[in-house]
Amino acid sequence: MKRKSADDAENGIDVSGRDLSSFGSQENSSSRTISNFFHQHIVKEEGTQNLGITLLNISRCRLGPNGATNLLSHLSNHSYIKIYQLNLQRNAIGSTGGRAIGSFLHQNQTCTRVDISLNDIKAGGGPLAIELISNALVANERLTALLMNKCALGPDGGAHLAHALKVNSSLNELQLEGNMIGPVGAETLFDALQSNRTLEVLGLKMNRIGGGGANVNGAEKADVRSLAYALGNNNGHQCCQLHTLDLSYNDLRCLGCTILAESLGQSQCALRELTLEKNDIGGEGAVALAHALGSGGSKLQSLVLKGNAIGDVGAMALGEMLQHNDSLRILDISSCSIGNEGGAAIGSGLSMNATLQTLNLDKNSLGSGSNHVLFSEGVSTNKALKTLHLSGNGISDEESLDSSTWGEAVANALSSNTSLQYLDLSNNALSEGSIIDAVAAHTSITTANLSDNDFQSISIETQLKLAGRMTTLDMDLSLNALSSPPLGRLADSTNLRNYLTLLASEKTAVTRIRLMVCGHGGVGKSTFARAITSENDPSGFQASLSPVVEWGTDRLMDWASRLGTLWAEDAARLIFDEGITGKDLTNYVDTDSGGNSSPSELLNSCSSTYQSIDTASFAKAISALCAKGYLSTVGVVKVQGQVPIGDNRTVSLVDFAGQSEFLVSHQLLLSSLHTLCLIIQPAPSFESRDHLHYGSWKYWRQFLSSLGDRRRGSLLLAVSQLDKVLAGEVNNCDCEDLISNEFKKIKERSSGAISCTEALRLDYRPGSIADTIYRAKQALSKSTNEVAHSWWVPNSYETLSKIAQNVAKTKSANHELPILTRDELVHEINNFCERVPQSSALLGKLTTDPRLLQKAIEYMEAVGDVMQAGDQLLIDPIGWFSTFLAHFVKDDLAVSTIQIDNSALKKQRGTIHLADVIEALEHEYVSPHEHIAQIMELLCGLELCVPLDETSFLFPCLLPHLSPCIELLDEGFLNISDVSAVRGHRFRESSGFIPPGLFLGLVARLFQRLAPGTMEPTRMWKDCAVLFLNNKSTRVLLRCDLDESIIDVVGMAPSSEQIFVGAAKGQASIVIWIVHLIKMFLRNYSQLKFDEAWLCTNPECHASRDGRYSYHGSEFPLLSRATSKKSKAHDCDAEGCQRFLGVGHSLDMMQLSCHEPCTTCGKSQVFRLRDVIDD
């Protein structure tokens, strides 16, 4: 720490949090240690004798009793060290240290402020420390502030301090929060206040004082009458000088509040600030306070009633009080169960009040009705109010009976108001931009919190207005699904200011957008993409509609060349030389009764000319192609060509494979707000529930919604295979009705994402193709206008995108991997700025401001130019994924490079060896081994894979599904017959949908977090995993049932001791701990809402059915105990959640909503920490 001179105005020592336990060593040793400490931190000036230390902060330093005693003794024995403020918070000083505090205060004549909070000064026994401290206060004439929060004083402590207060004439502030002094100890303190004339600030929060009344034996409880007497209700006697009093959390109730209120209206009462948070005063208590404050004699300036359910009755009384009171400056009635009418009454009071400056109405229900008086009269006409809190009031833009909305009322009031400086409307349901317009136009507002609402887009005009006010306005729009500006849920004040400042300097309209073509395999996605991007002759694409048996030689050559093997080109030449067509393919393959394929004699004969061809693999590929009958997309394909749609805008297409193995990678590319999505479902599937593609619209709509917010108009629905309907294979009239009805249902549930009036009909018949393309482009144009009409970005973002695209082209031409680090990107920006200095002044700011650079990268992610994972940037991710993942993720019938060439992969359970990765990449890139570490780091960062060791990686998407009847039980992974202790936790997604990639991502996350050996590929499947803990004696089953939309966590062990390990703060440490990690992972899926339940503790309800684990007991629903505060950011890695079993977290606190017995086994459920299951 920097040394400071004795006369430095900021002279102080702050070593909070350091380990100073050495102060507690033997006397001589500790004396040297403490002397060295002061010598190190502060040095005497020449010619001076004293060391004046403004503040000595040694809080949380592990002093202990001896360390505190030695330190205080040193300070007392070395009088040249002058301490003015001393902080010894949370040092476990015990009673010994407390007595040392007493001795120090008795001798010291310089210290004015001492804080020993969070030290139990009763611990350790011996003479009462508080008695010595109180005796010291009698003699001490220098101390002005003593803080003893949570020091375990109890009633005796209150009595001792009361004795001191009657005599002490220097103390101005006394803080005693959380000491449980009770009604008796409090009464002695209150009696002492009647004779004390110096104490001005008294904190008595959480002391169980009570409000008085009769106890169970009929005797009178000690109450707050003595306090009221001291404050002023004493028939003209001299009063204490308290001006700040905190009585929060003391169960005063209505009676205690009414007694206190009697003194507040007295002219001799000096009280200026009164805090009565959480005292259950009710509406009647609020009425009594309102009457006292409205009488004209009160001097109270601040009243806090937070957390008291005063309701509309109390609010109406306070509203009436505001019309007459001229002293109150601050009124906090947050979390007070105030409804719409109560809010209106407060508004009426505001309209006639000229002194109130701060009003806190957070966490009430003002938006539950249509009475907008609070704004239309109160805020609009009040000239004194500066700060207004209205967070969490259910205020929305829904129209009331008179067609007015809260949003309009807010906006109109702000246009008239001239005094507001701070406005908090966070955590409501506002969506219209008129409120943001009003804030931007308000000249006096300097802070506006509009976070966690439903805003999606801000007009470019308003953005530019805000940009002009960024020097004086601090606006928070985080936790809104913002597409314009393109900050998503991260538009906090800093990000918003940086972005808008840049936008104002160089705004440009977005001219390009992506269309993601989605649907299950075989619905016609590739066909649509080829049709709409055909420049001149749209009928030319129709070859893609032909079944394999109709393919010509050219089409087969194209297919063979795309197999991605070392012999693919030779296979294409063989097809050309032999003139092979689609109808000839079956002659080149032999298939046995088991469905296994092998090369026919003809194939062996033909391929003998081309020695490189692996005939067995080639035969497998031919067999799979014939069995399928068409060529499906593998992975993700960035369609060549773009679709011009007017206004200088273009749409680029991305064709997604429909196979389930690809859905994990699809999630990475489909989650952007700034895309259009087209979902295709074939017409015949609407009529039959047995059809393979029945319900495709619904499935993909849920899938897209689960990945994030969708912009208005960004979702289109289309119907394919109309030729089958028109050909009479399906009843035309019935099909049209079914399509229309399904479209209406999906649109109603899309939250505005679908704005078109009907589904696109994709009719590719020669006479209809032109009209189909025209209507498709019209629909794309309409949707693009809705998504991008206010999506403007700084021109530097577009310039940066072009830089990235040029780098991608260069790397592609050189067959280099398309990966950049941030430092390399900054280098490319600097190179561009040197070449084009006249147009890159603002672009250069991106290299010096990490936040601006991050926003620019996020924009490039939105338009598909890059994907980021940590420090790595993948350029053109869609093109790269289509090339890379197809090597490892199989087609429906196992047709892809590695699966063809290495059949052993099927036995490796998702394991890919580094050599396989390098071999696959050598088809496309030069020297991939030089960059393999970067590649795998990026893939691991995206959680597409996890490292097993230095040479192999687990790809969860390649894991097999759990085979019926055998794997869990027959392999011995779960020994249900030996289990006597069970605890289970269930997550159930409330909308009935879990994305197929969620569980695989969870497996990847847990595999990286848990100790080695806890999870192994041999005990993992696509829908299940078994964890081994406690030397394999405890098993935890993770299972995901997509059909039921549930995720189960079930801990099993031979005894309860093996389930309940560690210092758990919950139902079962192992289960609660893993559930916590799962909750942290589920934060990535903010659109999904999971209900939680505990499962029956009886092992009989956790049994096997048909050889598989099955739960058939009751679910015991859980309710969160969390407060209404938003959960703070939490980092499991930083806090070590995975390193120690049983560490609980407050955000995980849950409680049962009912206590009924299990309906299956009839047992009552008890979920104590170490509960034994048997009665």
Side-chain angles (χ1 to χ4, degrees), residues 731-758:
N731 186 294
N732 191 15
C733 294
D734 290 346
C735 187
E736 281 297 325
D737 290 341
L738 291 171
I739 291 172
S740 298
N741 291 337
E742 183 69 3
F743 177 84
K744 291 177 182 176
K745 291 179 183 177
I746 301 298
K747 183 175 181 178
E748 288 173 358
R749 297 170 184 170
S750 71
S751 301
I754 300 175
S755 60
C756 53
T757 56
E758 62 178 358

mmCIF file of all heavy atoms in Angstrom, residues 731-758:
data_model
loop_
_atom_site.group_PDB
_atom_site.id
_atom_site.type_symbol
_atom_site.label_atom_id
_atom_site.label_comp_id
_atom_site.label_asym_id
_atom_site.label_seq_id
_atom_site.Cartn_x
_atom_site.Cartn_y
_atom_site.Cartn_z
ATOM 1 N N ASN A 731 -57.413 -34.936 -49.902
ATOM 2 C CA ASN A 731 -58.621 -34.164 -50.168
ATOM 3 C C ASN A 731 -58.316 -32.679 -50.106
ATOM 4 O O ASN A 731 -57.897 -32.170 -49.069
ATOM 5 C CB ASN A 731 -59.708 -34.521 -49.146
ATOM 6 C CG ASN A 731 -61.034 -33.852 -49.477
ATOM 7 O OD1 ASN A 731 -61.153 -32.636 -49.429
ATOM 8 N ND2 ASN A 731 -62.021 -34.666 -49.831
ATOM 9 N N ASN A 732 -58.511 -31.972 -51.209
ATOM 10 C CA ASN A 732 -58.108 -30.576 -51.318
ATOM 11 C C ASN A 732 -58.844 -29.677 -50.343
ATOM 12 O O ASN A 732 -58.253 -28.868 -49.633
ATOM 13 C CB ASN A 732 -58.328 -30.087 -52.753
ATOM 14 C CG ASN A 732 -57.691 -28.737 -52.998
ATOM 15 O OD1 ASN A 732 -56.876 -28.293 -52.207
ATOM 16 N ND2 ASN A 732 -58.055 -28.084 -54.085
ATOM 17 N N CYS A 733 -60.178 -29.813 -50.278
ATOM 18 C CA CYS A 733 -60.976 -28.936 -49.407
ATOM 19 C C CYS A 733 -60.619 -29.135 -47.938
ATOM 20 O O CYS A 733 -60.400 -28.175 -47.197
ATOM 21 C CB CYS A 733 -62.466 -29.190 -49.635
ATOM 22 S SG CYS A 733 -63.024 -28.723 -51.295
ATOM 23 N N ASP A 734 -60.558 -30.403 -47.535
ATOM 24 C CA ASP A 734 -60.221 -30.683 -46.139
ATOM 25 C C ASP A 734 -58.828 -30.170 -45.801
ATOM 26 O O ASP A 734 -58.598 -29.606 -44.731
ATOM 27 C CB ASP A 734 -60.292 -32.190 -45.877
ATOM 28 C CG ASP A 734 -61.720 -32.708 -45.917
ATOM 29 O OD1 ASP A 734 -62.644 -31.871 -45.873
ATOM 30 O OD2 ASP A 734 -61.897 -33.931 -45.992
ATOM 31 N N CYS A 735 -57.891 -30.347 -46.716
ATOM 32 C CA CYS A 735 -56.517 -29.928 -46.469
ATOM 33 C C CYS A 735 -56.424 -28.416 -46.316
ATOM 34 O O CYS A 735 -55.742 -27.919 -45.425
ATOM 35 C CB CYS A 735 -55.628 -30.402 -47.618
ATOM 36 S SG CYS A 735 -53.868 -30.114 -47.329
ATOM 37 N N GLU A 736 -57.112 -27.668 -47.165
ATOM 38 C CA GLU A 736 -57.074 -26.207 -47.070
ATOM 39 C C GLU A 736 -57.636 -25.728 -45.734
ATOM 40 O O GLU A 736 -57.113 -24.806 -45.115
ATOM 41 C CB GLU A 736 -57.859 -25.582 -48.229
ATOM 42 C CG GLU A 736 -57.098 -25.551 -49.538
ATOM 43 C CD GLU A 736 -55.843 -24.699 -49.450
ATOM 44 O OE1 GLU A 736 -55.843 -23.669 -48.749
ATOM 45 O OE2 GLU A 736 -54.840 -25.085 -50.068
ATOM 46 N N ASP A 737 -58.733 -26.349 -45.291
ATOM 47 C CA ASP A 737 -59.304 -25.976 -43.991
ATOM 48 C C ASP A 737 -58.331 -26.264 -42.863
ATOM 49 O O ASP A 737 -58.159 -25.450 -41.939
ATOM 50 C CB ASP A 737 -60.614 -26.732 -43.756
ATOM 51 C CG ASP A 737 -61.735 -26.245 -44.663
ATOM 52 O OD1 ASP A 737 -61.607 -25.117 -45.198
ATOM 53 O OD2 ASP A 737 -62.718 -26.987 -44.831
ATOM 54 N N LEU A 738 -57.685 -27.420 -42.931
ATOM 55 C CA LEU A 738 -56.740 -27.790 -41.889
ATOM 56 C C LEU A 738 -55.539 -26.846 -41.868
ATOM 57 O O LEU A 738 -55.059 -26.434 -40.814
ATOM 58 C CB LEU A 738 -56.270 -29.235 -42.100
ATOM 59 C CG LEU A 738 -57.312 -30.328 -41.864
ATOM 60 C CD1 LEU A 738 -56.781 -31.679 -42.333
ATOM 61 C CD2 LEU A 738 -57.697 -30.397 -40.400
ATOM 62 N N ILE A 739 -55.052 -26.475 -43.054
ATOM 63 C CA ILE A 739 -53.912 -25.553 -43.141
ATOM 64 C C ILE A 739 -54.292 -24.199 -42.558
ATOM 65 O O ILE A 739 -53.545 -23.601 -41.773
ATOM 66 C CB ILE A 739 -53.454 -25.407 -44.605
ATOM 67 C CG1 ILE A 739 -52.819 -26.719 -45.096
ATOM 68 C CG2 ILE A 739 -52.461 -24.261 -44.749
ATOM 69 C CD1 ILE A 739 -52.517 -26.743 -46.579
ATOM 70 N N SER A 740 -55.469 -23.682 -42.919
ATOM 71 C CA SER A 740 -55.906 -22.374 -42.428
ATOM 72 C C SER A 740 -56.080 -22.368 -40.917
ATOM 73 O O SER A 740 -55.673 -21.434 -40.227
ATOM 74 C CB SER A 740 -57.221 -21.963 -43.102
ATOM 75 O OG SER A 740 -57.046 -21.831 -44.495
ATOM 76 N N ASN A 741 -56.697 -23.427 -40.394
ATOM 77 C CA ASN A 741 -56.912 -23.502 -38.940
ATOM 78 C C ASN A 741 -55.587 -23.590 -38.184
ATOM 79 O O ASN A 741 -55.404 -22.941 -37.148
ATOM 80 C CB ASN A 741 -57.787 -24.706 -38.608
ATOM 81 C CG ASN A 741 -59.207 -24.546 -39.094
ATOM 82 O OD1 ASN A 741 -59.679 -23.426 -39.297
ATOM 83 N ND2 ASN A 741 -59.901 -25.656 -39.307
ATOM 84 N N GLU A 742 -54.657 -24.386 -38.717
ATOM 85 C CA GLU A 742 -53.358 -24.522 -38.055
ATOM 86 C C GLU A 742 -52.595 -23.196 -38.120
ATOM 87 O O GLU A 742 -51.936 -22.801 -37.147
ATOM 88 C CB GLU A 742 -52.542 -25.634 -38.726
ATOM 89 C CG GLU A 742 -51.199 -25.912 -38.081
ATOM 90 C CD GLU A 742 -51.310 -26.555 -36.708
ATOM 91 O OE1 GLU A 742 -52.432 -26.843 -36.269
ATOM 92 O OE2 GLU A 742 -50.253 -26.742 -36.062
ATOM 93 N N PHE A 743 -52.689 -22.494 -39.233
ATOM 94 C CA PHE A 743 -52.009 -21.207 -39.372
ATOM 95 C C PHE A 743 -52.524 -20.219 -38.328
ATOM 96 O O PHE A 743 -51.743 -19.518 -37.681
ATOM 97 C CB PHE A 743 -52.224 -20.650 -40.782
ATOM 98 C CG PHE A 743 -51.615 -19.290 -40.987
ATOM 99 C CD1 PHE A 743 -50.279 -19.163 -41.330
ATOM 100 C CD2 PHE A 743 -52.365 -18.134 -40.823
ATOM 101 C CE1 PHE A 743 -49.700 -17.915 -41.497
ATOM 102 C CE2 PHE A 743 -51.799 -16.887 -40.991
ATOM 103 C CZ PHE A 743 -50.459 -16.779 -41.335
ATOM 104 N N LYS A 744 -53.836 -20.171 -38.117
ATOM 105 C CA LYS A 744 -54.412 -19.251 -37.133
ATOM 106 C C LYS A 744 -53.906 -19.579 -35.730
ATOM 107 O O LYS A 744 -53.568 -18.678 -34.950
ATOM 108 C CB LYS A 744 -55.942 -19.333 -37.175
ATOM 109 C CG LYS A 744 -56.560 -18.757 -38.447
ATOM 110 C CD LYS A 744 -58.075 -18.935 -38.450
ATOM 111 C CE LYS A 744 -58.685 -18.405 -39.746
ATOM 112 N NZ LYS A 744 -60.144 -18.648 -39.807
ATOM 113 N N LYS A 745 -53.851 -20.868 -35.397
ATOM 114 C CA LYS A 745 -53.388 -21.264 -34.069
ATOM 115 C C LYS A 745 -51.926 -20.843 -33.847
ATOM 116 O O LYS A 745 -51.568 -20.291 -32.801
ATOM 117 C CB LYS A 745 -53.505 -22.781 -33.895
ATOM 118 C CG LYS A 745 -54.929 -23.296 -33.823
ATOM 119 C CD LYS A 745 -54.921 -24.817 -33.684
ATOM 120 C CE LYS A 745 -56.334 -25.384 -33.691
ATOM 121 N NZ LYS A 745 -56.317 -26.866 -33.626
ATOM 122 N N ILE A 746 -51.086 -21.118 -34.848
ATOM 123 C CA ILE A 746 -49.668 -20.793 -34.701
ATOM 124 C C ILE A 746 -49.480 -19.291 -34.616
ATOM 125 O O ILE A 746 -48.688 -18.794 -33.798
ATOM 126 C CB ILE A 746 -48.854 -21.361 -35.876
ATOM 127 C CG1 ILE A 746 -49.012 -22.882 -35.953
ATOM 128 C CG2 ILE A 746 -47.382 -20.990 -35.740
ATOM 129 C CD1 ILE A 746 -48.523 -23.633 -34.759
ATOM 130 N N LYS A 747 -50.216 -18.536 -35.416
ATOM 131 C CA LYS A 747 -50.071 -17.081 -35.417
ATOM 132 C C LYS A 747 -50.473 -16.495 -34.067
ATOM 133 O O LYS A 747 -49.817 -15.576 -33.546
ATOM 134 C CB LYS A 747 -50.911 -16.469 -36.529
ATOM 135 C CG LYS A 747 -50.754 -14.953 -36.644
ATOM 136 C CD LYS A 747 -51.504 -14.383 -37.839
ATOM 137 C CE LYS A 747 -51.306 -12.875 -37.937
ATOM 138 N NZ LYS A 747 -51.988 -12.306 -39.110
ATOM 139 N N GLU A 748 -51.560 -17.005 -33.466
ATOM 140 C CA GLU A 748 -52.015 -16.494 -32.171
ATOM 141 C C GLU A 748 -50.965 -16.682 -31.092
ATOM 142 O O GLU A 748 -50.883 -15.888 -30.149
ATOM 143 C CB GLU A 748 -53.314 -17.201 -31.762
ATOM 144 C CG GLU A 748 -54.530 -16.781 -32.584
ATOM 145 C CD GLU A 748 -55.748 -17.622 -32.259
ATOM 146 O OE1 GLU A 748 -55.625 -18.561 -31.423
ATOM 147 O OE2 GLU A 748 -56.814 -17.372 -32.842
ATOM 148 N N ARG A 749 -50.163 -17.723 -31.213
ATOM 149 C CA ARG A 749 -49.178 -18.031 -30.183
ATOM 150 C C ARG A 749 -47.795 -17.487 -30.500
ATOM 151 O O ARG A 749 -46.837 -17.759 -29.770
ATOM 152 C CB ARG A 749 -49.091 -19.550 -30.001
ATOM 153 C CG ARG A 749 -50.401 -20.164 -29.516
ATOM 154 C CD ARG A 749 -50.362 -21.663 -29.585
ATOM 155 N NE ARG A 749 -51.649 -22.255 -29.200
ATOM 156 C CZ ARG A 749 -51.966 -23.533 -29.354
ATOM 157 N NH1 ARG A 749 -51.081 -24.371 -29.872
ATOM 158 N NH2 ARG A 749 -53.148 -23.980 -28.983
ATOM 159 N N SER A 750 -47.678 -16.725 -31.560
ATOM 160 C CA SER A 750 -46.346 -16.278 -32.001
ATOM 161 C C SER A 750 -45.932 -14.940 -31.426
ATOM 162 O O SER A 750 -44.846 -14.450 -31.728
ATOM 163 C CB SER A 750 -46.308 -16.200 -33.528
ATOM 164 O OG SER A 750 -47.095 -15.108 -33.988
ATOM 165 N N SER A 751 -46.810 -14.312 -30.614
ATOM 166 C CA SER A 751 -46.498 -13.019 -29.987
ATOM 167 C C SER A 751 -46.091 -11.964 -31.009
ATOM 168 O O SER A 751 -45.173 -11.179 -30.785
ATOM 169 C CB SER A 751 -45.380 -13.187 -28.945
ATOM 170 O OG SER A 751 -45.761 -14.111 -27.953
ATOM 171 N N GLY A 752 -46.766 -11.958 -32.146
ATOM 172 C CA GLY A 752 -46.507 -10.954 -33.164
ATOM 173 C C GLY A 752 -45.404 -11.307 -34.135
ATOM 174 O O GLY A 752 -45.162 -10.562 -35.091
ATOM 175 N N ALA A 753 -44.696 -12.433 -33.910
ATOM 176 C CA ALA A 753 -43.616 -12.803 -34.822
ATOM 177 C C ALA A 753 -44.148 -13.105 -36.216
ATOM 178 O O ALA A 753 -43.444 -12.941 -37.213
ATOM 179 C CB ALA A 753 -42.865 -14.012 -34.275
ATOM 180 N N ILE A 754 -45.412 -13.568 -36.310
ATOM 181 C CA ILE A 754 -46.055 -13.802 -37.605
ATOM 182 C C ILE A 754 -47.027 -12.657 -37.847
ATOM 183 O O ILE A 754 -47.977 -12.476 -37.085
ATOM 184 C CB ILE A 754 -46.810 -15.146 -37.624
ATOM 185 C CG1 ILE A 754 -45.846 -16.306 -37.356
ATOM 186 C CG2 ILE A 754 -47.517 -15.344 -38.968
ATOM 187 C CD1 ILE A 754 -46.530 -17.645 -37.232
ATOM 188 N N SER A 755 -46.784 -11.889 -38.887
ATOM 189 C CA SER A 755 -47.692 -10.782 -39.188
ATOM 190 C C SER A 755 -48.421 -10.976 -40.509
ATOM 191 O O SER A 755 -49.374 -10.255 -40.801
ATOM 192 C CB SER A 755 -46.914 -9.461 -39.223
ATOM 193 O OG SER A 755 -45.918 -9.505 -40.221
ATOM 194 N N CYS A 756 -47.988 -11.946 -41.327
ATOM 195 C CA CYS A 756 -48.677 -12.193 -42.595
ATOM 196 C C CYS A 756 -50.055 -12.799 -42.325
ATOM 197 O O CYS A 756 -50.328 -13.342 -41.258
ATOM 198 C CB CYS A 756 -47.845 -13.107 -43.485
ATOM 199 S SG CYS A 756 -47.322 -14.640 -42.695
ATOM 200 N N THR A 757 -50.914 -12.688 -43.307
ATOM 201 C CA THR A 757 -52.304 -13.109 -43.125
ATOM 202 C C THR A 757 -52.558 -14.552 -43.527
ATOM 203 O O THR A 757 -53.583 -15.121 -43.170
ATOM 204 C CB THR A 757 -53.236 -12.199 -43.940
ATOM 205 O OG1 THR A 757 -52.836 -12.224 -45.324
ATOM 206 C CG2 THR A 757 -53.162 -10.769 -43.425
ATOM 207 N N GLU A 758 -51.637 -15.157 -44.259
ATOM 208 C CA GLU A 758 -51.813 -16.549 -44.655
ATOM 209 C C GLU A 758 -50.457 -17.178 -44.930
ATOM 210 O O GLU A 758 -49.442 -16.475 -45.075
ATOM 211 C CB GLU A 758 -52.700 -16.648 -45.898
ATOM 212 C CG GLU A 758 -52.124 -15.964 -47.119
ATOM 213 C CD GLU A 758 -53.007 -16.131 -48.347
ATOM 214 O OE1 GLU A 758 -54.028 -16.814 -48.224
ATOM 215 O OE2 GLU A 758 -52.658 -15.596 -49.405
#
